[in-house]
Amino acid sequence: RKQVELEAKHTALDRFESFKHSNALMVKKGKLLVGDLASSQEVIAAYENEDPEKGRKDLYEYFTKKAEYFSGLGIEEKLHVHFQKPPATYFLKSCLPFKSQNDEENLSSTRKSVMQVYETRKTIFGYEKENANFGLRIISPIIYKEKYLGSVENTIDINEIISSIQMFDNEKVYIYSIRNDSTVKDSSVFQLEESLKSDSISAVPENVLNTGKDTFTYQIIDNKLIIAFPVKDFENKGVGVVCYVHDFSNIISASYADMNRLIIVLTIIFLVFIIILSGALIWLVSTPLKKLIKDLEPFKKGDFTHSINISRKDEIGQLASALNDTFMKMKELIGSVQGT
């Protein structure tokens, strides 16, 4: 059990560090991407175009051409880029076909991050939930000649980050997001199959968020290791929890099977040892006894001139010595009787 708990702690630390590393890598790539776009003359020209529709079309065509360049930077095509107009409306979504673009969608009530960039004019990053999407967002302001033109955003779904981390076959991942001041399981969870009792896992996310620390917790319930750590928004507030469920049942069963096999082997070895030891003891005792019995044969016939020739320091040797003394005295006694 201690070995399992030690392995559980190492697994928890590995999952936490892997997620942090993957997250930091995504942030680094995202900053490079949005920084490149925010400073691009083509992007600025599209925003400055007096015809918004033409500007959006030019921006769409420019970004499509840049996709190959971004791919060369190691930024996958499935990572989405969005452009916003001040204070917080969509200008272009690169993940949608151009004909379905809508520049009337107001984000001021649903996207605090976009409003934050508008108010601070600074690049920010963190997790944020919008409708069914819960992901890491890196947003940079687009400023030209001290004029705020809008913002550009790189969005990476949290499932993309989770799936980039190598997992074991006996692991599942649950993603929890904060909605209406409560912790609920996200509908876009990476692997939704339930593997724990609901009352066992439901308290985990809230416990992690209540600690207020950027660290991980782990516990073992019903031979399952639950690793949980918070995800933070651009204000460093907890907005969700990632839970890894690592099933140790097979490991524990294998450990018990190995232990049973070891017990059987040790039992066999012990029995063989007992048999050998018993045989050795029997031989050590029976051999001198047989010799003693053989040496007593002349005395049965009345020959007291014979002596028992056993030179041992154990009890059998003492018995042989005592019998020799006894027979010697009997011989003397018989001689004295015959002399009279």
Side-chain angles (χ1 to χ4, degrees):
R1 185 71 182 185
K2 289 183 179 180
Q3 181 63 32
V4 170
E5 291 180 355
L6 181 62
E7 185 174 344
K9 184 175 181 179
H10 288 164
T11 301
L13 179 60
D14 176 71
R15 286 290 165 268
F16 178 63
E17 293 296 337
S18 295
F19 181 82
K20 284 179 61 179
H21 175 76
S22 181
N23 195 76
L25 184 61
M26 294 296 184
V27 170
K28 182 178 179 180
K29 291 180 179 180
K31 283 185 174 181
L32 183 63
L33 187 152
V34 298
D36 180 86
L37 290 172
S39 61
S40 170
Q41 292 299 316
E42 287 81 356
V43 173
I44 293 172
Y47 269 90
E48 290 277 76
N49 198 308
E50 294 180 358
D51 183 352
E53 188 66 21
K54 187 177 185 307
R56 184 162 59 240
K57 184 177 180 181
D58 291 343
L59 181 58
Y60 183 82
E61 292 176 352
Y62 169 72
F63 180 77
T64 302
K65 293 177 181 178
K66 290 283 288 185
E68 185 176 347
Y69 169 73
F70 292 140
S71 178
L73 296 176
I75 302 173
E76 300 175 18
E77 294 181 5
K78 58 187 174 183
L79 303 185
H80 304 313
V81 175
H82 308 312
F83 297 87
Q84 292 96 13
K85 293 165 59 177
T89 57
Y90 275 126
F91 185 43
L92 178 72
K93 288 185 176 181
S94 67
C95 59
L96 295 177
F98 177 73
K99 61 182 179 180
S100 64
Q101 300 288 328
N102 178 13
D103 63 343
E104 299 299 324
E105 185 177 356
N106 195 312
L107 307 173
S108 58
S109 61
T110 59
R111 296 291 310 282
K112 289 179 62 178
S113 56
V114 177
M115 290 300 299
Q116 177 89 354
V117 173
Y118 171 70
E119 293 168 359
T120 63
R121 308 295 202 264
K122 294 180 179 180
T123 299
I124 64 172
F125 62 90
Y127 283 86
E128 189 177 48
K129 185 170 181 63
E130 180 191 17
N131 299 324
N133 298 318
F134 182 39
L136 175 64
R137 305 178 189 274
I138 304 98
I139 310 176
S140 178
I142 302 174
I143 300 174
Y144 180 64
K145 294 183 179 180
E146 300 184 355
K147 178 185 176 182
Y148 182 81
L149 302 180
S151 58
V152 56
E153 167 190 348
N154 179 209
T155 299
I156 307 103
D157 190 277
I158 190 170
N159 290 324
E160 305 286 353
I161 299 176
I162 294 295
S163 61
S164 68
I165 302 173
Q166 185 178 1
M167 293 175 54
F168 298 107
D169 293 336
N170 59 341
E171 276 188 327
K172 292 181 175 63
V173 180
Y174 297 85
I175 302 169
Y176 291 77
S177 60
I178 308 305
R179 201 159 55 213
N180 299 327
D181 298 325
S182 64
T183 308
V184 295
K185 184 181 291 186
D186 199 298
S187 59
S188 61
V189 67
F190 181 58
Q191 289 185 333
L192 196 56
E193 180 185 351
E194 192 67 64
S195 67
L196 286 179
K197 298 178 182 178
S198 59
D199 59 345
S200 297
I201 195 172
S202 60
V204 174
E206 294 180 0
N207 293 341
V208 173
L209 291 172
N210 290 338
T211 61
K213 298 178 180 179
D214 186 19
T215 185
F216 69 93
T217 63
Y218 71 96
Q219 53 186 297
I220 299 177
I221 301 176
D222 299 332
N223 294 332
K224 291 182 175 65
L225 167 66
I226 305 174
I227 309 163
F229 44 84
V231 290
K232 304 294 186 69
D233 66 4
F234 51 92
E235 294 179 330
N236 203 35
K237 295 179 181 178
V239 292
V241 176
V242 174
C243 284
Y244 277 91
V245 179
H246 192 100
D247 192 346
F248 274 103
S249 299
N250 293 337
I251 297 176
I252 292 175
S253 299
S255 297
Y256 283 142
D258 291 340
M259 186 178 298
N260 289 335
R261 283 193 292 269
L262 179 62
I263 291 173
I264 292 172
V265 171
L266 290 177
T267 301
I268 293 174
I269 293 173
F270 179 74
L271 290 175
V272 171
F273 175 75
I274 291 297
I275 292 172
I276 294 174
L277 181 61
S278 300
L281 290 175
I282 292 172
W283 182 83
L284 288 174
V285 172
S286 63
T287 300
L289 282 177
K290 288 179 180 179
K291 189 175 188 308
L292 178 62
I293 293 171
K294 184 178 180 181
D295 287 347
L296 287 174
E297 287 295 329
F299 296 102
K300 290 171 60 177
K301 298 177 182 179
D303 183 6
F304 292 99
T305 61
H306 187 77
S307 64
I308 300 172
N309 186 21
I310 296 178
S311 57
R312 299 169 62 98
K313 295 182 179 180
D314 56 9
E315 286 77 4
I316 294 177
Q318 294 175 6
L319 176 61
S321 178
L323 288 172
N324 280 331
D325 292 341
T326 301
F327 293 142
M328 181 65 68
K329 291 180 179 179
M330 290 180 64
K331 179 181 177 182
E332 292 177 354
L333 179 63
I334 292 172
S336 61
V337 171
Q338 290 177 347
T340 58

